[in-house]
Amino acid sequence: MGILRRSIRSTRPRTPRRAARVVIVSPAGSVFLFREDNVEVGIHWLPPGGGIDPGETPQECVRRELREETGWTDLAPQRLLCTWEHDFTHMGKPVRQHEHIYVAQGPERTPVTESPDAHWRWLSPAELGALGEPMWPPRIHELLSAPTTEPVHLGLVT
């Protein structure tokens, strides 16, 4: 029996929320992602990151979240890959999250502060393209395969 998923469509107003994430790419082109299974949105893969604290820039958020989620302190966002918005429930409140997605280069390694609940993986370009499970943000493989000089704005993805 599958997990019952709640609809993320709601008539309640959505609270704006800002977040930032970083796609780490190894010298061989592998990408570091976490796999989550959320009751509301289901299984999906996403880069390290999270909500931007008051007074924090997106770049500062990425560094803090990377340190908290992996223990890595030697990586920094190098360029803005894309921005996007999506709706979901965060801590019981419907939010519309606006995310900045950065790219950083880094070696393939194991997270230092790995949680026993964390499901992470380095995915080769071929594995990323054939994953078959949703990614947040969508189109990561495409955006990394054909980099542009300017960030791509994906808009609201439902």
Side-chain angles (χ1 to χ4, degrees):
M1 182 172 191
I3 296 174
L4 178 62
R5 308 227 186 266
R6 292 181 293 152
S7 171
I8 62 173
R9 300 188 196 281
S10 172
T11 57
R12 296 188 307 181
R14 298 212 170 263
T15 302
R17 183 173 192 258
R18 296 176 55 227
R21 300 189 176 281
V22 60
V23 177
I24 303 161
V25 181
S26 77
S30 293
V31 175
F32 180 82
L33 297 176
F34 288 106
R35 183 178 190 259
E36 290 191 357
D37 188 359
N38 176 288
V39 169
E40 183 177 53
V41 298
I43 294 172
H44 61 285
W45 291 81
L46 69 165
I52 298 173
D53 287 342
E56 191 174 50
T57 68
Q59 296 89 344
E60 290 168 338
C61 172
V62 162
R63 287 184 176 153
R64 175 183 52 76
E65 289 284 345
L66 194 56
R67 182 182 66 251
E68 290 174 2
E69 294 179 0
T70 66
W72 302 335
T73 59
D74 59 339
L75 300 178
Q78 296 164 336
R79 70 179 176 91
L80 183 61
L81 178 67
C82 68
T83 61
W84 76 302
E85 294 182 29
H86 59 105
D87 294 341
F88 72 107
T89 302
H90 178 72
M91 301 177 83
K93 295 180 183 175
V95 298
R96 173 156 294 166
Q97 183 156 292
H98 177 84
E99 291 191 8
H100 292 76
I101 309 297
Y102 292 90
V103 175
Q105 298 291 318
E108 286 189 40
R109 58 186 164 178
T110 301
V112 176
T113 58
E114 183 179 357
S115 159
D117 298 332
H119 299 285
W120 60 270
R121 189 166 156 202
W122 285 96
L123 296 157
S124 71
E127 291 170 320
L128 191 62
L131 194 54
E133 293 176 332
M135 286 183 271
W136 280 16
R139 300 178 46 201
I140 289 176
H141 181 259
E142 174 188 332
L143 295 171
L144 293 172
S145 298
T148 61
T149 57
E150 296 296 320
V152 174
H153 301 286
L154 300 176
L156 176 62
V157 177
T158 56

